[in-house]
Amino acid sequence: MAYDDQNIFARILRGELPAFKVYEDEHVLAFMDVMPQAEGHTLVIPKTPALTLLDLDPEAAAYTIQIVQKVAKAMEKALDVQGIVLMQLSGAAAGQTVPHVHFHLIPTSVHELGKHAAKLGDMEKIQAISEKIKAAL
């Protein structure tokens, strides 16, 4: 399948759709998941158009994982959590719902996870949590 530049993450990257941004530089964007599995659920995406992890250039992948680690550390500090679930789903068969490579950072334990993309979260709460994480970066 070819990369679809109209997917929701591509549209967020172009500024066509809003996002509660936590971190951004010229290569990567981190923002809050608006259908969170737990409070503080954050997504980290490379700005490089790539459908799955397997399509992502190795240099972009290496840089993106460095930012994943940086954001995860900020989440631990800002949200006072003891664990973070890191997920990267490559391909629809693996559960990937947006066709742009992305990493999920979910501050919780696996026993507390909600179903992925099951319901829209509270936007005010999501925005407040995003501000805490940004402040910790």
Side-chain angles (χ1 to χ4, degrees):
M1 179 186 345
Y3 182 81
D4 175 10
D5 69 356
Q6 293 304 308
N7 76 71
I8 192 168
F9 292 169
R11 294 183 66 203
I12 288 170
L13 287 170
R14 289 193 302 269
E16 297 172 5
L17 294 174
F20 297 112
K21 296 179 181 181
V22 170
Y23 175 88
E24 184 172 19
D25 65 25
E26 64 183 292
H27 303 291
V28 174
L29 174 64
F31 57 99
M32 304 306 292
D33 193 319
V34 297
M35 297 184 83
Q37 287 180 260
E39 284 189 16
H41 187 159
T42 303
L43 301 170
V44 180
I45 65 172
K47 291 185 175 181
T48 303
L51 187 62
T52 71
L53 182 62
L54 304 178
D55 303 313
L56 188 59
D57 172 86
E59 288 181 19
Y63 184 79
T64 302
I65 202 67
Q66 290 176 44
I67 302 305
V68 166
Q69 184 181 48
K70 180 177 185 165
V71 172
K73 287 178 180 180
M75 290 170 71
E76 278 190 334
K77 180 179 177 183
L79 305 178
D80 193 30
V81 294
Q82 301 303 309
I84 295 175
V85 174
L86 169 63
M87 287 193 308
Q88 198 293 305
L89 310 169
S90 280
Q96 183 179 0
T97 57
V98 177
H100 183 109
V101 62
H102 56 285
F103 296 82
H104 295 260
L105 289 167
I106 308 168
T108 189
S109 74
V110 293
H111 305 293
E112 299 169 344
L113 288 180
K115 185 174 176 353
H116 179 244
K119 67 177 185 171
L120 198 59
D122 178 326
M123 294 300 121
E124 288 182 18
K125 189 179 253 185
I126 291 170
Q127 183 176 17
I129 293 170
S130 75
E131 296 299 328
K132 284 183 178 180
I133 297 169
K134 270 196 280 193
L137 281 168

